[in-house]
Each structure stands twice: as structure tokens, then as C-alpha cells.
């Protein structure tokens, strides 16, 4: 067993899981943005309602804009996490 307390290891593993989840969501969002960017102008786009199996017709450009904003937010959160890890290492 390492010299670290169990709580610190739990915190580190939780932080690692959070970072991996964030990376997975960023990759997923990049695919969505790319798919929406490459759609032909006359194609229909549907948005799924949260916690439901119901889809509604949505505007392609509006959906692309929302997805890009979501991707930017995820990247920002990932960068903040990276910066906080670097700050911990420096201490």
C-alpha cells in the first residue's frame, strides 16, 4: 500500500474519472459538430427532448451553434481542470 491516505487516493481517482468523462464528452461533441457541419442544406435535424424518446424538428444552423457553444464550454472546463492539476503539481 502506498503512503497516501485512502481519502486522497479516492479524490484522485474521482478527479481522474471526471477528467476522462470530460474528454469523452468533448470527443462526442466534436463528432456532433462535424456531422452537423457536413450536412446538406436541405437535410432535416431533430433534437431529442431530455429524458424522453421524443424528437422535435430543429433548425440546423441553430443546433450547430448550440453544439459549438457546448463544445467550447467543455473545452474550457477541461482546460481549467488541467490548470488546477498543474497548480497542484507546482505546490
Amino acid at each position: 500500500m502506498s503512503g497516501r491516505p485512502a481519502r486522497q487516493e479516492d479524490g484522485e481517482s474521482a478527479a481522474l474519472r471526471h477528467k476522462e468523462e470530460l474528454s469523452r464528452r468533448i470527443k462526442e461533441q466534436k463528432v456532433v459538430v462535424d456531422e452537423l457541419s457536413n450536412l446538406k442544406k436541405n437535410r432535416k435535424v431533430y433534437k431529442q427532448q431530455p429524458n424522453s424518446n421524443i424528437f422535435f424538428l430543429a433548425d440546423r444552423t441553430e443546433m450547430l451553434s448550440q453544439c459549438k457553444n457546448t463544445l467550447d464550454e467543455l473545452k474550457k472546463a477541461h482546460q481549467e481542470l488541467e490548470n488546477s492539476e498543474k497548480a497542484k503539481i507546482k505546490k
Side-chain angles (χ1 to χ4, degrees):
M1 186 169 178
S2 67
R4 292 181 179 169
R7 286 186 179 168
Q8 186 177 359
E9 289 177 0
D10 289 343
E12 289 175 359
S13 64
L16 182 61
R17 283 193 304 271
H18 179 66
K19 186 177 177 181
E20 289 172 352
E21 175 70 15
L22 209 52
S23 295
R24 184 191 64 77
R25 289 185 61 203
I26 288 172
K27 288 178 188 176
E28 184 179 286
Q29 201 65 29
K30 282 181 180 178
V31 171
V32 171
V33 168
D34 192 48
E35 290 290 333
L36 286 171
S37 297
N38 291 320
L39 278 179
K40 292 181 180 178
K41 301 289 183 201
N42 62 344
R43 297 292 182 185
K44 293 186 187 314
V45 175
Y46 294 87
K47 181 176 181 178
Q48 184 176 9
Q49 294 304 300
N51 302 319
S52 172
N53 289 330
I54 300 172
F55 292 81
F56 289 105
L57 187 61
D59 182 51
R60 186 185 64 84
T61 54
E62 186 178 315
M63 288 301 302
L64 180 58
S65 177
Q66 287 178 5
C67 290
K68 284 181 178 180
N69 288 340
T70 303
L71 180 59
D72 290 341
E73 290 170 8
L74 289 171
K75 284 181 177 180
K76 182 179 177 184
H78 188 267
Q79 188 63 42
E80 288 172 356
L81 189 61
E82 290 284 326
N83 290 342
S84 68
E85 287 179 357
K86 288 179 183 178
K88 286 180 185 177
I89 292 172
K90 288 182 179 179
K91 289 182 180 180

